[in-house]
């Protein structure tokens, strides 16, 4: 069953059309389980934040290798790669933060990030690095499973524009 869209910028009104926001907000809170952060949201946020930390660590290692004179084909190509690592790490930190706060758009971003991890994890496992591959695959699978749970979908349905969002 879908619910009608709500503009968070407009004050809520009660079910009888009055300006009593308590009646409608408590109804919506009970129906959606608002105010209670599901365990799945916490797990997905932690997984995405750890992936962001791993990318930040890879960027730091890559920068160290560049500064110590590791051979590269093109210097500017290496700088571009470093920039991509840093940008994607920052993006994943933002996704983790806003997913934890319950924003809708973060579910799609987290899913795409997990699919990227899977595309790296499977060849890692089949290439003989089983522990490293499992360290990528297991959290990614867990995050994907939690992304589609009803309580996670219900919690992550904020559309922005609500007071205090930024």
């Amino acid at each position: 069953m879908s619910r009608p869209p709500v503009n968070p910028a407009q004050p809520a009104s009660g079910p009888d059309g009055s300006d009593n926001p308590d009646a409608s907000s408590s109804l919506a809170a009970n129906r959606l389980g608002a105010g209670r952060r599901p365990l799945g949201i916490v797990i997905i946020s932690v997984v995405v934040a750890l992936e962001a930390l791993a990318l930040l660590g890879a960027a730091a290692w890559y920068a160290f290798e560049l500064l110590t004179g590791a051979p590269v084909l093109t210097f500017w190509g290496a700088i571009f790669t470093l920039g991509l690592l840093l940008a994607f790490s920052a993006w994943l930190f933002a996704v983790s933060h806003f997913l934890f706060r319950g924003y809708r758009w973060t579910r799609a971003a987290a899913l795409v990030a997990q699919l990227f991890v899977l595309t790296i994890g499977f060849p890692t496992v089949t290439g003989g690095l089983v522990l490293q591959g499992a360290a990528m695959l297991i959290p990614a699978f867990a995050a994907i499973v939690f992304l589609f749970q009803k309580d996670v979908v219900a919690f992550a349905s904020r559309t922005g524009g609500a007071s205090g969002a930024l």
Side-chain angles (χ1 to χ4, degrees), residues 138-150:
I138 293 171
F141 276 130
I144 289 171
V145 168
F146 283 118
L147 276 170
F148 292 102
Q149 286 186 337
K150 287 183 183 181

Side-chain angles (χ1 to χ4, degrees), residues 126-161:
T126 59
L129 300 170
V130 178
L131 290 177
Q132 292 88 342
M136 287 185 258
L137 292 176
I138 293 171
F141 276 130
I144 289 171
V145 168
F146 283 118
L147 276 170
F148 292 102
Q149 286 186 337
K150 287 183 183 181
D151 57 345
V152 170
V153 172
F155 181 80
S157 63
R158 285 184 58 183
T159 58

Side-chain angles (χ1 to χ4, degrees), residues 11-16 18-30:
S13 61
D16 58 353
S18 67
D19 288 335
N20 181 5
D22 295 332
S24 66
S25 63
S26 64
L27 242 159
N30 289 339

Side-chain angles (χ1 to χ4, degrees), residues 62-117:
Y62 194 76
F64 173 76
E65 290 294 320
L66 281 177
L67 292 174
T68 57
V72 294
L73 288 173
T74 64
F75 178 73
W76 292 112
I79 295 297
F80 180 74
T81 302
L82 178 62
L84 283 178
L85 286 171
L86 290 172
F88 197 48
S89 176
W91 174 250
L92 284 179
F93 275 124
V95 168
S96 173
H97 172 73
F98 286 110
L99 180 67
F100 189 76
R101 291 179 62 188
Y103 282 77
R104 178 180 305 178
W105 62 267
T106 56
R107 289 182 57 244
L111 177 63
V112 169
Q114 301 318 305
L115 294 175
F116 280 129
V117 171

